[in-house]
Structures are given as C-alpha cells and as structure tokens.
Amino acid sequence: PTHLMDPITRTRAMARTWGSTAQERQLDFACDRFVAEPNDALYRALTVNAPPALLFRWLCQLRTAPYSYDWIDNLGRRSPRSLTPGLDRLQVGQRIMTFFQLAAFEPDSHITAVLDRLDALFGDLAITYLIVPEADERCRLIVKVAVAYPRTPIGAAMRGLLPAGDFVMMRKQLLTLRKLAQRDAANRGSTLEPSAA
C-alpha cells in the first residue's frame, strides 16, 4: 500500500501510476501493439464529467496543440480553447502533439500515437488515451505510455527522467482537456455538431 511507502518511493510510484487503479492498468491498450519489447509503462487517469463523444473531440485537438504547459511545448502559443472543425476526421499517420504520429484510433474510445521514427534515438514510445464510459455524462480517461528505452546513454538518462517529466507535463494536459470538456458539457452548446467540410 502506498501509505506505507517512504515519501520518495511514494512520489516515484505516483509519477508512474497517477490517478489510475490496479484494475485499470490491466485493461487492453492499443499502444502495446506498437512497442515490441517495452521495458517501462506509465499510467495516468482521471474522471471527466462529460460524454465520451465530447471528450473524444477534445482528444482530437491534440492534432493541433499539446494542451500542456504552452510556454514549454507549444512555443508560447496558447492551445485553442474551442473545438476546431475537422480535427476529428482522423487518419493513421497524421501528426499529433508535434513529435508523434497517429497509429490507431476508435471513435469515442481511444487515440493511440507513436513517437515519430525521426526521433528513434529516444527509443520506441507509444501512448494510448483510452476513454472508459461510466455513465452518459461521465467517463474515465486512462492513459498508458509504453516505452522501450534505447541501450545508450540517452536511454539510461530517459529511464531516470521520463516518468517524472512525463507526469508533470501530462498531468497538466489531462487536467486542461478535462476542464475544457466539462465546460462544454455544461454549456450544451454546439460542441458536438458535425465538423465543417
């Protein structure tokens, strides 16, 4: 149990499993198909009080911006605060979150991305954003990052730094996406209208 861990061990565990349950970590994640021999897995999860279809639309926004700390990973540009028409027209191979390519998706269920092959010196890395409905207006967003670190000095550094660094950035991303999806769910506006051509 985490309450029996010392503070450092507890912090490290949180960086690897933030918000997720043991049962959720046993779910089927599409990212596992894209990393042949993973040697690490990171999980993040939270509850979103919005319909799965609306949350999925906000996940599609990752095609245009990372929705984390914009001053770090979006060149200071603010990630859009309204849905961009057409971004939910997904195709495998599309650019997503700057350094990733869309590898697989299922509407209203999941988006899975892989690190661009040009960045292969960082190893193999794939991410699945999985939506698990809990009710008509509530769902869980569970993220798994599967990693195969390269057997290089860069890989050794990543093994030590990635869990905490990813936790800081992705926690901000997920909280931002949740806030925007819940805002739109509360407003009941035109957020789920068909995309423009």
Side-chain angles (χ1 to χ4, degrees), residues 3 10 22 24 32 57 64 84-86 88 98-99 119 125 129 139 159 169 172 179-180 188-189 192 194:
H3 68 278
R10 188 163 54 243
E24 288 172 338
D32 293 328
R57 286 287 299 275
T64 191
T84 305
D88 56 328
T98 309
F99 301 109
D119 298 303
L125 190 152
Y129 294 79
C139 51
R159 190 184 294 270
M169 299 302 290
K172 171 65 171 174
K179 180 179 179 180
L180 293 167
R188 300 291 183 188
L192 288 179

Side-chain angles (χ1 to χ4, degrees), residues 3-181:
H3 68 278
L4 298 179
M5 298 177 182
D6 65 82
I8 293 176
T9 303
R10 188 163 54 243
T11 300
R12 287 175 176 166
M14 182 179 68
R16 292 182 170 279
T17 63
W18 178 72
S20 66
T21 67
Q23 184 178 9
E24 288 172 338
R25 295 192 288 274
Q26 297 303 312
L27 295 173
D28 181 38
F29 293 88
C31 61
D32 293 328
R33 304 199 304 264
F34 298 98
V35 180
E37 296 181 3
N39 46 34
D40 206 352
L42 312 173
Y43 299 87
R44 293 82 176 80
L46 43 66
T47 298
V48 182
N49 292 311
L54 177 55
L55 178 57
F56 185 81
R57 286 287 299 275
W58 275 105
L59 291 179
C60 293
Q61 289 288 124
L62 294 174
R63 288 179 53 199
T64 191
Y67 284 87
S68 186
Y69 291 100
D70 288 333
W71 59 276
I72 294 177
D73 58 8
N74 204 29
L75 300 176
R77 297 185 301 263
R78 192 169 192 241
S79 298
R81 264 34 188 187
S82 60
L83 292 171
T84 305
L87 284 185
D88 56 328
R89 295 184 175 179
L90 301 180
Q91 291 183 349
V92 169
Q94 289 171 329
R95 179 72 56 187
I96 185 169
M97 296 185 294
T98 309
F99 301 109
F100 291 81
Q101 290 185 344
L102 188 64
F105 65 93
E106 184 178 338
D108 304 341
S109 178
H110 82 87
I111 287 178
T112 296
V114 295
L115 189 65
D116 193 298
R117 290 301 176 190
L118 295 176
D119 298 303
L121 80 144
F122 296 110
D124 290 329
L125 190 152
I127 306 174
T128 291
Y129 294 79
L130 178 66
I131 299 172
V132 178
E134 289 191 330
D136 290 344
E137 303 293 324
R138 187 180 72 247
C139 51
R140 291 282 286 169
L141 176 57
I142 308 161
V143 181
K144 179 177 182 179
V145 182
V147 191
Y149 298 112
R151 295 184 178 91
T152 64
I154 290 177
M158 283 182 62
R159 190 184 294 270
L161 297 175
L162 181 67
D166 179 77
F167 165 67
V168 170
M169 299 302 290
M170 188 173 286
R171 179 180 180 275
K172 171 65 171 174
Q173 178 192 72
L174 299 185
L175 290 172
T176 300
L177 293 172
R178 176 173 72 177
K179 180 179 179 180
L180 293 167

